[in-house]
Amino acid sequence: MRKLCLATASAAALILASAPAFADIDAAKRWIDSEFQPSTLSKEDQLKEMQWFIDAAKPFAGMEINVVSETITTHEYESKTLAKAFSEITGIKLRHDIIQEGDVVEKIQTQMQSGKNIYDAWINDSDLIGTHFRYNQVVPLTDWMAGEGKDVTLPTLDVEDFIGKSFTTAPDGKLYQLPDQQFANVYWFRYDWFQRPDLKAKFKAKYGYELGVPVNWSAYEDIAEFFTNDVKEIDGVKVYGHMDYGKKDPSLGWRFTDAWLSMAGNGDKGLPNGKPVDEWGIRMEGCRPVGSSIERGGDTNGPAAVYSIVKYVDWLKKYAPPQAAGMTFSESGPVPAQGNVAQQIFWYTAFTADMVKPGLPVMNADGTPKWRMAPSPHGSYWKEGMKLGYQDAGSWTLMKSTPVDRRKAAWLYAQFTMSKTVSLKKSHVGLTFIRESDIWDKSFTERAPQLGGLIEFYRSPARVQWTPTGVNVPDYPKLAQLWWQNIGDASSGAKTPQAAMDALAAAQDSVLERLERSGVQGDCGPKMNKKESAEFWYAKAEKDGNIAPQRKLANEKPKGETVDYDELIKSWPANPPKKAAMK
C-alpha cells in the first residue's frame, strides 16, 4: 500500500470525529440507509451487527481513540466517513489519522522501541509479519480474540471470509494482523490495440504466434519490441511497448521487493511464499533465517535474481518512453492513462479507479475501458507452484504497549471498518477487496465491465499466486531500505546487475548477522549458515527436491507464449466458493 502514498501525497489528514458520548441506534439506522449500501447483509442484519457494536462500546463511551494508516483512497474513506459513523453510533470519539507510509513505519518502530503508546491501533503492511512475530511487540490476534479481547470481538467478523488471512499468519500458526484492504500488481495492456486485425496479422507474421496476453517474459519482450519498433505510431501518436521507472529513489525498492524476483523465478515453490527460499532470496530453516547470498544458500544474487534485473534494465532502456528512466513511482503511475503505452508488466490494481475516469484517452465513450488487466507473465526460471506476483495487504495491528482498554476500543473500530455491514460499500469506493463475499456480490458482477478485468482477476483461481512479503524477512524496515540503494546502481549503470545483486545479498547478510549477534529475536531470529560454494547449494537444492538456488539457464529466452484474453476469462470458474455468501 505504501506504493500509493507518493502518488496521492497530501498533508497528514487529522480527523477527529465529532460525536456525542453516547451510543445511538437511530444513528445506526441513518448510516445504514444513507451510506452503508450495498451490503452483503440485509438491513435487518446490518442493524443487528450495529446493535452489537453499540452494546460492546458502552464501557468506552466518551473515550478518545487514535488510529493511523497511510494515504490511499480506502483509508481516506475510513478516516472521513467510517470514523464519523463509528463515533456517532458507538459514542467512542474516533480519530483516524492518514499520513505517509514511511511515517507509519517510523512511528510504529518508535512505539516498538520506546514502549510509549503513540496510536491505539495501526493499519500496517502485512509485509512486516516476519518482523512482528519475531520482536514480540504485537498482540497475536488469535490469542486476543479468544482471550483478553473476546468480549469485544464481533461474532459476525467471519475471519474465514477474509482472502488474505494466510498473509498475516506466522510460523506459529497464529494470526497477527487482519487485512483491511488489498490490491495486487498485475499485467496491464491495451485490449483495443491487441484486438486489431492488422496488428495481429503483423505480429503473427513476425513472431509465429498470436498477439495476446503474454504467458512468459519472452512474449512480453516480443510485444514490447513490436509496438516500440514495428508499430511505432497509432493514430499519429508515438507509442511504446513498455512502461516502468528507474530513478534511484526509495520507491525503486518497492519495484523489486514487491515480488519482481519471484516473477522471474527466484526462490522456491510454495504459497504464500517459497520454502525454504522466499522471493527476497532469503533462506529460512524452521523459523530461522539463515542467509541471503547464494554462498549461504540464499538466492538474492543467484542466476534467477540477476536475470530479473537484466530484463528490467534492458526493457527500461529499449522499450519505455525516454523519460521513464528518470521517473519515480508516483511520476510514472499516470503515464499509461495518457494513451501511448501498449502494455505494462508491473501495474497495481489500486490504480483502477483513476484509470476508468470518463474522458481519459484510454476510456470508451460508453464508460468501458480500452484496456484490460490480466495475470502477470513469468520469467524463464519460474516453475509451477511458485508465487507469481505481489499483493499489498494493509492490515490492522494491535501493539502490546497499548493499554488494554484503549486497545479494546480501537479493536472495535478496526472491526467496524472490516464488518460485513460496511465492507462491500468500502470495496466499491476503494476497489481494495478483503472479503470473498464482497468479491462475489452481484453488485460487482454488474460493475465488472467498467473495471477492466479487476473482478474477473479477484474471482479467478490465479489470485492465490499474488502474495505479500512473507515470514522469511525478519526485519522489514532494516532490509527493505537496502534494495533501492543497490538496485539503483544497476538502473543507473553504475554497476552490472550481477555486481548490484552481489552487493545487495552481502548487505542483507550483514543485517541478518547483526540480528543474530543481538539475540533480540529469540528462537526464531537469524542463525546464519556457513559459507559454501554456489555449486554446493545448487547440488543441495537438486538433492532435496527444491528449486533455489537454480543454475544459470543455457537459454533465458524460450519461445514466446500468449493466450487470448477472452478465452482466458472464459476458462475461470463462474461460480463462487461455498463460503462466499451471496445476497
Side-chain angles (χ1 to χ4, degrees):
M1 63 182 170
R2 60 198 172 284
K3 302 88 194 165
L4 273 290
C5 70
L6 294 175
T8 57
S10 63
L14 305 178
I15 297 176
L16 180 60
S18 59
F22 56 86
D24 190 345
I25 193 64
D26 291 331
K29 291 176 181 176
R30 288 195 303 273
W31 280 100
I32 288 169
D33 289 338
S34 64
E35 182 63 33
F36 301 152
Q37 301 301 325
S39 170
T40 56
L41 300 181
S42 66
K43 286 189 177 181
E44 180 183 2
D45 286 340
Q46 285 181 291
L47 199 59
K48 288 179 182 177
E49 200 166 64
M50 291 302 99
Q51 183 64 60
W52 180 88
F53 277 105
I54 290 169
D55 294 340
K58 285 177 182 176
F60 316 104
M63 187 179 286
E64 294 187 6
I65 294 298
N66 304 304
V67 304
V68 68
S69 66
E70 64 160 326
T71 307
I72 66 170
T73 300
T74 296
H75 299 322
E76 288 175 344
Y77 177 70
E78 291 166 340
S79 178
K80 294 173 182 177
T81 302
L82 296 187
K84 185 174 188 292
F86 178 79
S87 296
E88 290 183 4
I89 292 167
T90 65
I92 297 171
K93 298 178 182 178
L94 202 291
R95 173 177 175 147
H96 185 148
D97 291 357
I98 49 176
I99 61 179
Q100 298 293 343
E101 167 65 10
D103 294 331
V104 175
V105 174
E106 182 180 337
K107 287 178 182 293
I108 200 168
Q109 284 182 290
T110 299
Q111 181 158 335
M112 288 170 67
Q113 292 164 2
S114 69
K116 178 182 177 183
N117 190 51
I118 300 173
Y119 284 101
D120 302 309
W122 306 72
I123 298 178
N124 172 238
D125 270 11
S126 74
D127 293 334
L128 277 82
I129 179 64
T131 309
H132 288 329
F133 99 88
R134 288 185 174 91
Y135 278 113
N136 200 32
Q137 297 289 322
V138 165
V139 178
L141 294 181
T142 300
D143 295 344
W144 171 254
M145 291 187 289
E148 274 187 312
K150 185 176 182 179
D151 60 329
V152 288
T153 294
L154 179 64
T156 53
L157 182 60
D158 192 5
V159 171
E160 292 305 306
D161 192 36
F162 284 73
I163 62 174
K165 62 184 182 297
S166 67
F167 308 156
T168 55
T169 300
D172 59 10
K174 295 179 182 180
L175 189 75
Y176 278 72
Q177 303 167 277
L178 197 57
D180 174 84
Q181 55 83 9
Q182 289 179 218
F183 56 87
N185 64 345
V186 295
Y187 172 73
W188 179 97
F189 71 107
R190 284 295 297 270
Y191 177 80
D192 57 335
W193 294 353
F194 279 49
Q195 293 296 106
R196 280 179 47 166
D198 59 331
L199 297 183
K200 289 174 75 73
K202 288 179 182 178
F203 185 87
K204 179 94 178 266
K206 180 173 182 178
Y207 294 102
Y209 61 95
E210 299 291 340
L211 176 60
V213 174
V215 173
N216 58 13
W217 282 14
S218 299
Y220 184 85
E221 187 171 292
D222 289 346
I223 295 168
E225 168 73 27
F226 177 70
F227 277 99
T228 305
N229 297 321
D230 293 307
V231 178
K232 295 182 181 178
E233 287 188 2
I234 294 179
D235 299 328
V237 177
K238 169 64 179 168
V239 299
Y240 296 91
H242 173 63
M243 183 59 204
D244 216 322
Y245 62 101
K247 187 174 181 179
K248 193 173 182 180
D249 168 87
S251 68
L252 188 63
W254 314 330
R255 173 68 180 78
F256 296 91
T257 59
D258 288 359
W260 179 247
L261 274 64
S262 71
M263 293 168 68
N266 182 78
D268 276 304
K269 295 180 181 181
L271 295 173
N273 303 91
K275 291 182 178 180
V277 181
D278 74 349
E279 70 274 16
W280 283 43
I282 297 175
R283 176 179 287 265
M284 187 172 73
E285 294 174 0
C287 64
R288 307 196 76 155
V290 294
S292 169
S293 63
I294 199 168
E295 62 188 359
R296 295 186 189 272
D299 203 16
T300 305
N301 59 335
V306 173
Y307 156 81
S308 80
I309 308 303
V310 169
K311 290 301 181 185
Y312 159 75
V313 173
D314 285 352
W315 295 345
L316 182 64
K317 289 178 179 177
K318 294 178 179 178
Y319 308 125
Q323 64 270 28
M327 286 182 167
T328 63
F329 170 83
S330 59
E331 292 164 345
S332 69
V335 173
Q338 296 167 8
N340 67 338
V341 173
Q343 59 172 359
Q344 185 167 342
I345 194 170
F346 198 87
W347 184 85
Y348 288 100
T349 61
F351 287 135
T352 307
D354 289 332
M355 195 70 84
V356 296
K357 291 179 178 177
L360 287 175
V362 294
M363 290 296 291
N364 294 312
D366 65 358
T368 58
K370 297 177 181 179
W371 55 268
R372 298 289 188 274
M373 65 183 80
S376 311
H378 56 73
S380 58
Y381 288 84
W382 188 87
K383 304 288 191 299
E384 196 68 45
M386 290 181 171
K387 68 182 286 183
L388 190 50
Y390 177 80
Q391 184 132 198
D392 188 289
S395 304
W396 281 105
T397 309
L398 302 177
M399 304 293 291
K400 291 182 177 179
S401 50
T402 301
V404 173
D405 60 337
R406 301 190 66 81
R407 200 189 305 159
K408 286 186 171 184
W411 177 235
L412 287 174
Y413 173 66
Q415 294 172 101
F416 181 83
T417 67
M418 301 180 288
S419 68
K420 290 182 179 180
T421 291
V422 308
S423 67
L424 180 57
K425 174 60 182 289
K426 188 176 83 169
S427 295
H428 275 285
V429 172
L431 300 175
T432 55
F433 306 100
I434 55 171
R435 289 185 176 273
E436 194 86 62
S437 56
D438 290 340
I439 293 166
W440 286 94
D441 187 77
K442 65 181 181 181
S443 63
F444 275 116
T445 301
E446 294 163 358
R447 194 178 174 191
Q450 282 75 49
L451 297 177
L454 178 67
I455 305 307
E456 291 83 350
F457 172 77
Y458 268 96
R459 289 179 175 180
S460 81
R463 183 192 74 210
V464 300
Q465 294 175 297
W466 275 253
T467 69
T469 297
V471 295
N472 292 34
V473 179
D475 193 319
Y476 183 93
K478 285 188 178 73
L479 291 163
Q481 66 183 340
L482 304 174
W483 285 67
W484 70 271
Q485 297 165 4
N486 286 286
I487 292 176
D489 288 338
S491 177
S492 68
K495 288 183 179 177
T496 65
Q498 182 70 66
M501 298 310 282
D502 286 344
L504 174 59
Q508 289 203 138
D509 277 355
S510 179
V511 170
L512 297 179
E513 287 175 313
R514 290 201 303 273
L515 287 172
E516 180 181 10
R517 287 195 298 270
S518 74
V520 70
Q521 293 188 336
D523 292 340
C524 285
K527 186 176 183 180
M528 301 297 281
N529 278 336
K530 67 176 184 177
K531 295 181 179 181
E532 303 279 4
S533 68
E535 178 58 35
F536 172 89
W537 291 107
Y538 294 147
K540 180 173 172 55
E542 292 161 2
K543 178 184 175 184
D544 293 347
N546 296 322
I547 305 296
Q550 294 185 61
R551 301 177 189 274
K552 183 174 175 61
L553 294 172
N555 177 20
E556 292 184 331
K557 192 177 187 298
K559 183 176 173 59
E561 182 183 349
T562 59
V563 62
D564 179 83
Y565 176 78
D566 296 308
E567 292 301 314
L568 173 67
I569 297 302
K570 289 177 187 175
S571 73
W572 287 337
N575 298 315
K578 290 181 180 179
K579 69 178 181 180
M582 305 262 300
K583 269 202 308 187

